[in-house]
Every structure is written in C-alpha cells, then in structure tokens.
C-alpha cells in the first residue's frame, strides 16, 4: 500500500520482501470500510470487492455449538454484489462510500502488488531481503540480497528514508532497539494463548451442514473453541482452533488437525457417511492470540516502522492489517511532500504521533473484543437435548447475539479514528464526538474523517476529492473566495483542488462553509474565512509549527 501511495506520486522506491511472492496463507480476512475507502481513493476498491468469495456468497457471521451443530447467534451482512448499492441507502453510523469486504489478505495483496508494479518509479523485489542497514544522518545505507543468494549478489542501496514494514519479528525494530509497550500473554477460553491455524480444502463442508451458509463460523462449546472462514466459497477455508495449555502445539501433526477439524464440525457428517470428512491440508502453523502491543517509537532518525512491526493485535475485530494500511496511507503523502520539497522534514515526525495514537486505540479495542468473546464460558450442557441444554442455549444466544454486533458492526472503530493533538491539525476549539466502537457520529471537527455524503446525482462526495489536498467550499455563500487558498497552495507547491458544493445540507453536515481535507482524507481545518489561508496551509504541512 505504501508503494501505491508513493508510486502514484512518482517517488522512487525499492521494496524488498523475503517471501517469494504475495502471501500464500489467507492471513487477515476482513477489509474494513475505511480501508475500502482508501482503495476507492486509488481506484481499485471494486477490483478488491470482486476478490475472494463469489459475489453472491453470504458474508454472515454465525456462532454455533459446532460448525454443523446448533446455531446460537448470527449477524446477516450484505453480499459483495449487494454492498455497493446497499451503502448508498445507509446513513448515520454507516454514512460511507464503502462497506467492509470479507476477503482474505492473500487476494488483496495480489491487487495491491499489481497496482504498485504499474508505477514506473517502483522497484518491487520479492525473494530479496534486507541484510543490514545504517542511518548515516544524511541517508540510509543498506545491503539487500536475494534469499539464498551469495554475498556476490548483494546490492548496496542508498535511500533518503527507510520503512521497516517487516512484520511481527521485525529485524528493523530489533536493530533499532525499540521495544514493545502494552500488554501480552492474555489467557482466555478463546483468543488467548496458542492457536493452531490450518489452511485447508473441505469441499464437503456445506453438504451435511443444516445451517444457512455463512462466511465465518465460530464454535462455542465446552470441549473446544474454534472458528473457520471461507476463503473462496468453494471449500477452501481458514480454520483456527484454540489449543489448551497442556497441548504441545509445536508437535501437532496433520492427523491432529484433521481430528480437531472433525470435532469442530460435529457428528452430522459421520452419521451420514459413516466416516470423518476428508480434508486436504494446504498449510498449518501455530500462532499466539493475546497481544495488544505497540512499539515504543515508530521512528528513529530516517527509519520508520509500520504494520505488524509497529503494532501487534489479537485478531478480534480484524484490525491488524487495516491498521497497517492506514499507517501506509498516513506516511505516504508525508514522505512524498518532504521528498518533493513541499514540506519540511519535521512533517515526518507527525507520523509517529498520529499512528501511535491509533495503534494504541485499536489494539485496546481488539483486546476488549477478545475479552468479550474469549471470556464467555460455554455451559457444559450447551449441546444437551434437555431442559438444561435449552436454558444454556438461551443464555448463549442472548450473549453471543450481543457480542457478534459488538465485534462485527464497528463503524465507530472504523471511521472514528482521530489525530487530535497533532500539530498539523488546526483545532477550531470544538470537541469531537465521543469515541465509541459501535457508533460513529459524522463530524468535521478537525482531526477526523470527513463526513461522507452521497450527492443528488449519486456520486460519492469522496470521489470529488483530490488525491492530494481538497478545499471544500460549501453552501450558498458564493462571496466566500477560495482564491487565498489557491494562491498560498501554489506558493507552497501544494496540489490543491477546490470543490464547490452549493446547497445547505453539506454545509450543515460540516458545520462550516470551508473545510480543508488532507491527502489521507482527514479534516485538517474548517472555518468560515480564508484570510489565514497561508498560515493554515503552512501549519498542515508542518512548516509553521515546530517538531512535536
Ligand atoms: C496466520 C495468520 C493469520 C492472521 N489472521 C488475521 C486476521 O484474521 N485478522 C487480522 O487483522 N490480521 C490477521 N493476521 C495479521 C495480519 O496478517 C497482519 O496484521 C498483516 O499481515 C500485517 O502486515 P505487515 O505487512 O505489517 O506484515 P506481514 O504481513 O507480516 O509482512 C511482513 C513482510 O516482511 C517480510 N520480511 C521480514 N523480514 C524481512 C527482511 N529482513 N527483508 C525483507 N523482507 C522481510 C516478510 O517476508 C513479510 O512478507 C494474521 C497473520 C497470520 C500470519
């Protein structure tokens, strides 16, 4: 994503990734609506939305005693085919250009890679790794080499900046001596401790499953806790099971994975066929749930950290990869402005401030969601055909129907991230709405996402925004001149587009006739006069006010 941000702006950069190509494993499975809006900004949201599940495949989340057992709770959500139209009729918390998309990261990475590669300034090398680097103060000197290659194949690279987006075990973070803050090691019935991840093919999954199709199935059961997500809607799935402390997860075999899969599935298949369901294992690995970690620092001199190198999540809420995308979106325009000479280097210091704020917020939300589902005790009678079983299921039904909405209807988390207190946000003294995970109140209070609107002709307001800066001129007051902003932007070398929207609705939504939108679609300033245009523009690119 960072390569897309930089490539579109013509910034030369080299990306090395030690993997031979994009992810083989499904990895993250939810692209949040805000991430989809960023993909829309780049023009490939619809392309991403065609990836993964068939367009008409349900994207529901269901909680059950077993995958083919008794259903306890369900959240029904629009299919990929229905989503673009559905969002046009939603309002309030879901005033947005895009709905989320349930798709495995492995498919999204291919789209991102293809677009990144299309920019002439991008040199993208899979199968190459960073061996060493040094920040000389004037720039970065690094050695990169093909994986498994010889020293003779090593290449010396000089760059103005470097970004360590090298994952949870980041060698860049380690070399900089940056440690984690936050909390880890949470133990829960589910989503706390060792998990076994199995990427598998089970074409018979739906055949003997009496429940409506879902995208994600979560097993709540006194014997085991697990979840499975459909990767392609044809039987390719990502299966994750909570292991108990006494199970030696590193020594688990494919036979163990097949056993656990069938336990999680339930007995309907065995009863119908006389044998366990055969599955093909594509890969398996263990991972640890229970992190809520944020790097102490996101920057050291000319080196930045982003993605899992900077924050580690428990995947409840599906926030790890989405937070990583927003890191790239935030850093991309800042690097480009500094490298082009349109902003001082101190603009880059705001990356750490703004993104650490959001990483801390989002890991906290994910931790709360993990507690919400993971500390729920499955009653020993949950599967019983008895009055105790009925009573236990009624309790689970009520609790889990509440939980599924807490975890999977999160417009507040998705749209409500804010950069309050950042020196490049011009506060107007107003207070933003309260930060709540499940409610988003559109507000143009500087520091947050601009309120979205569908225009009378069906266009998204966001589609009128510039890739760089946008000045919204709202309402009937044509006397308001954007000229001082245009003049000041030209003097500073900023690419500013003025968007006039007459009519009072948008002005009421923004509670001001003027609003300045950053390249990453954040309100930088709003007001009712352009007298201070030069000083405002200087502040939002970090020229007027010093380093944090
Ligand atoms: C099995 C699994 C399941 C997951 N499930 C979810 C989920 O359900 N929801 C969710 O939100 N998140 C999930 N995640 C996390 C999500 O995938 C990450 O948050 C996301 O991939 C972060 O992206 P990243 O680019 O920061 O790191 P990564 O995707 O880890 O990418 C880092 C890259 O750096 C490369 N690299 C490392 N060292 C070097 C070096 N020295 N030189 C060159 N390249 C190097 C690696 O090859 C790797 O490709 C899951 C992760 C895994 C592994």
């Amino acid at each position: 994503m960072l390569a897309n941000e930089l490539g579109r702006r013509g910034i030369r950069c080299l990306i090395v990734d030690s993997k031979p190509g994009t992810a083989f494993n499904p990895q993250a499975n939810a692209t949040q609506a805000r991430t989809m809006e960023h993909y829309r900004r780049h023009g490939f949201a619809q392309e991403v939305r065609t990836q993964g599940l068939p367009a008409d495949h349900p994207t529901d989340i269901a909680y059950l005693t077993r995958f083919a057992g008794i259903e306890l709770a369900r959240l029904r959500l629009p299919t990929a085919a229905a989503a673009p139209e559905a969002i046009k009729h939603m309002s309030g918390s879901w005033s947005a250009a895009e709905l989320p998309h349930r798709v495995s990261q492995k498919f999204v990475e291919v789209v991102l890679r293809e677009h990144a590669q299309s920019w002439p300034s991008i040199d993208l090398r899979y199968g190459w790794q960073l061996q060493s680097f040094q920040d000389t103060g004037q720039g970065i000197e690094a050695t990169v080499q093909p994986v498994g290659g010889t020293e003779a194949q090593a290449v010396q690279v000089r760059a103005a900046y470097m970004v360590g987006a090298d994952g949870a075990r980041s060698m860049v973070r380690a070399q900089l001596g940056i440690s984690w803050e936050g909390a880890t090691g949470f133990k829960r019935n589910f989503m706390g401790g060792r998990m076994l991840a199995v990427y598998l093919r089970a074409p018979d999954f739906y055949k003997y499953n009496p429940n409506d199709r879902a995208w994600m199935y979560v097993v709540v059961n006194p014997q085991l806790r697990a979840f499975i997500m459909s990767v392609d809607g044809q039987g390719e799935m990502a299966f994750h099971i909570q292991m108990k402390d006494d199970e030696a997860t590193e020594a688990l075999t494919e036979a163990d994975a097949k056993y656990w899969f069938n336990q999680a599935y339930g007995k309907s298949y065995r009863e119908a066929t006389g044998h366990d369901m055969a599955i093909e294992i594509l890969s398996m690995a263990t991972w640890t749930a229970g992190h809520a970690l944020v790097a102490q620092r996101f920057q050291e001199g000319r080196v930045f950290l982003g993605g899992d190198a900077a924050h580690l999540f428990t995947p409840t809420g599906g926030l790890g990869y989405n937070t990583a995308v927003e890191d790239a979106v935030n850093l991309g325009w800042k690097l480009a402005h500094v490298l082009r000479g349109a902003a001082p280097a101190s603009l880059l210091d705001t990356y750490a401030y703004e993104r650490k704020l959001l990483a801390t917020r989002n890991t906290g939300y994910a931790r709360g969601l993990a507690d919400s589902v993971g500390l729920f005790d499955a009653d020993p009678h949950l599967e019983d055909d008895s009055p105790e079983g009925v009573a236990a299921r009624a309790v689970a039904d009520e609790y889990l129907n509440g939980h599924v909405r807490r975890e999977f209807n999160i417009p507040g988390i998705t749209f409500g991230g804010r950069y309050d207190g950042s020196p490049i946000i011009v506060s107007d003294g107003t207070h933003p709405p309260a930060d709540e995970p499940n409610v988003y109140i559109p507000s143009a209070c500087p520091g947050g996402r601009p309120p979205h609107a569908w225009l009378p002709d069906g266009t998204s307001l966001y589609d009128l925004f510039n890739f760089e800066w946008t000045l919204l001129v709202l309402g009937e007051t044509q006397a308001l001149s954007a000229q001082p902003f245009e003049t000041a932007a030209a003097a500073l070398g900023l690419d500013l587009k003025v968007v006039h929207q007459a009519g009072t609705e948008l002005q009421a939504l923004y509670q001001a006739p003027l609003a300045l939108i950053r390249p990453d679609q954040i309100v930088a300033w709003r007001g009712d006069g352009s007298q201070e245009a030069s000083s405002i523009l200087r502040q939002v690119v970090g020229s007027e006010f010093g380093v944090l």
Side-chain angles (χ1 to χ4, degrees):
M1 188 59 175
L2 184 55
N4 276 286
E5 294 290 341
L6 295 173
R8 185 174 284 269
R9 294 179 167 99
I11 302 296
R12 264 185 78 206
C13 63
L14 167 70
I15 297 111
V16 290
D17 189 329
S18 44
K19 287 204 308 289
T22 49
F24 171 75
N25 287 311
Q27 302 208 186
N29 290 282
T31 296
Q32 302 296 354
R34 179 66 163 156
T35 304
M36 287 300 286
E37 286 180 343
H38 286 305
Y39 293 163
R40 185 183 183 105
R41 188 167 52 81
H42 279 272
F44 48 69
Q46 196 46 35
E47 194 179 338
V48 169
R49 205 176 280 286
T50 61
Q51 307 295 314
L53 301 177
D56 59 351
H57 193 285
T59 63
D60 302 0
I61 298 107
Y63 290 69
L64 314 105
T65 56
R66 313 254 171 188
F67 295 141
I70 305 166
E71 186 167 309
L72 301 167
R74 180 179 287 255
L75 177 62
R76 292 192 189 274
L77 292 168
T79 61
E85 190 53 33
I87 191 64
K88 292 186 177 171
H89 306 286
M90 295 169 84
S91 57
S93 284
W94 282 104
S95 303
E98 294 284 345
L99 276 173
H101 181 47
R102 313 288 160 190
V103 58
S104 297
Q105 183 180 329
K106 68 177 288 172
F107 299 122
V108 179
E109 286 191 7
V110 175
V111 176
L112 293 178
R113 174 188 184 163
E114 279 169 7
H115 285 275
Q117 268 174 331
S118 72
W119 299 110
S121 64
I122 301 296
D123 182 351
L124 185 47
R125 298 192 194 191
Y126 282 93
W128 280 69
Q129 76 183 27
L130 175 72
Q131 299 288 99
S132 62
F133 68 92
Q134 198 197 346
D135 182 347
T136 65
Q138 265 62 58
I140 302 294
E141 290 179 1
T143 307
V144 299
Q145 187 175 311
V147 175
T150 62
E151 269 185 39
Q153 293 170 289
V155 173
Q156 309 301 320
V157 181
R158 276 187 299 162
Y161 295 99
M162 187 176 92
V163 183
D166 52 344
R169 294 191 177 83
S170 169
M171 81 91 127
V172 175
R173 192 188 63 242
Q175 184 177 320
L176 295 175
I178 299 177
S179 48
W180 291 118
E181 288 174 353
T184 188
F186 294 105
K187 297 283 177 208
R188 305 182 181 97
N189 299 329
F190 180 54
M191 287 291 182
R194 293 305 282 166
M195 305 280 297
L196 175 65
V198 189
Y199 179 25
L200 56 86
R201 206 170 273 139
D204 282 349
F205 186 88
Y206 304 104
K207 212 167 167 184
Y208 297 95
N209 195 329
N211 301 299
D212 283 356
R213 240 183 216 235
W215 153 67
M216 180 176 181
Y217 302 75
V218 187
V219 167
V220 179
N221 185 299
Q223 181 204 1
L224 61 93
R225 300 290 291 268
F227 63 103
I228 200 163
M229 277 149 315
S230 180
V231 172
D232 67 352
Q234 318 283 335
E236 239 177 63
M237 310 196 107
F239 171 53
H240 298 259
I241 178 164
Q242 176 77 48
M243 304 314 295
K244 304 239 161 40
D245 275 346
D246 54 356
E247 281 153 348
T249 44
E250 303 307 333
L252 287 170
T253 62
E254 289 200 358
D256 294 317
K258 288 176 181 174
Y259 169 80
W260 283 116
F261 171 83
N262 275 284
Q263 288 294 308
Y265 189 82
K267 52 188 190 227
S268 65
Y269 189 88
R270 172 169 275 281
E271 281 173 357
T273 64
H275 54 80
D276 275 351
M277 193 188 302
I279 59 169
E280 181 189 349
I281 294 182
L282 303 172
S283 72
M284 55 186 275
T286 57
W287 58 282
T288 303
H291 299 308
L293 294 172
V294 177
Q296 245 175 0
R297 301 187 300 285
F298 282 33
Q299 179 192 6
E300 187 76 48
R302 291 175 169 269
V303 184
F304 301 88
L305 296 178
D308 279 12
H311 35 71
L312 266 189
F313 284 74
T314 300
T316 29
L319 302 175
Y321 131 76
N322 291 279
T323 305
V325 167
E326 286 205 71
D327 293 342
V329 169
N330 186 291
L331 189 53
W333 72 267
K334 293 176 181 175
L335 278 171
H337 275 61
V338 171
L339 288 167
R340 279 191 201 139
S346 60
L347 174 65
L348 297 171
D349 298 340
T350 65
Y351 166 73
Y353 174 83
E354 293 184 345
R355 293 311 299 163
K356 189 172 175 189
L357 203 64
L358 266 287
T360 305
R361 166 191 189 263
N362 292 359
T363 49
Y365 274 136
R367 175 183 166 181
L369 293 170
D371 285 345
S372 168
V373 67
L375 299 178
F376 178 75
D377 273 327
D379 189 293
H381 299 290
L382 198 63
E383 292 182 285
D384 293 356
D385 186 10
S386 68
E388 288 94 336
V390 171
R393 289 194 289 279
V395 171
D397 177 310
E398 188 180 349
Y399 184 81
L400 294 169
N401 266 307
H403 169 78
V404 71
R405 284 155 183 83
R406 279 195 291 282
E407 183 178 346
F408 292 93
N409 180 26
I410 49 170
I413 298 180
T414 303
F415 301 132
R418 299 186 51 83
Y419 298 140
D420 294 318
S422 169
I424 56 169
I425 295 295
V426 189
S427 168
D428 63 359
T430 59
H431 295 288
D435 187 4
E436 289 184 56
N438 305 110
V439 178
Y440 161 72
I441 298 174
S443 166
C445 173
R449 171 181 173 270
H452 178 267
W454 292 102
L455 303 178
D457 67 354
T459 308
S460 161
L461 174 65
Y462 286 5
D463 292 348
L464 301 185
F465 288 178
N466 194 18
F467 195 71
E468 302 292 4
W469 298 86
T470 307
L471 182 72
L472 284 177
V473 182
L474 307 174
E476 310 292 354
T477 337
Q478 293 307 319
L480 268 176
S481 170
Q483 192 58 50
F485 275 97
E486 291 179 299
T487 308
L492 290 167
L494 300 180
D495 175 0
L496 178 79
K497 176 184 176 189
V498 178
V499 173
H500 290 269
Q501 282 294 306
T504 51
E505 269 183 35
L506 275 179
Q507 185 178 344
L509 184 62
Y510 277 71
Q511 298 196 336
L514 296 172
L516 180 66
I517 315 297
R518 294 190 344 187
D520 52 354
Q521 294 190 348
I522 291 287
V523 179
W525 169 86
R526 73 174 165 183
D528 52 17
S530 45
Q531 307 86 323
E532 308 289 331
S534 176
S535 144
I536 290 162
L537 287 180
R538 287 172 58 75
Q539 180 174 349
V540 299
V541 294
S543 294
E544 189 100 310
F545 289 82
V547 184
L548 276 160

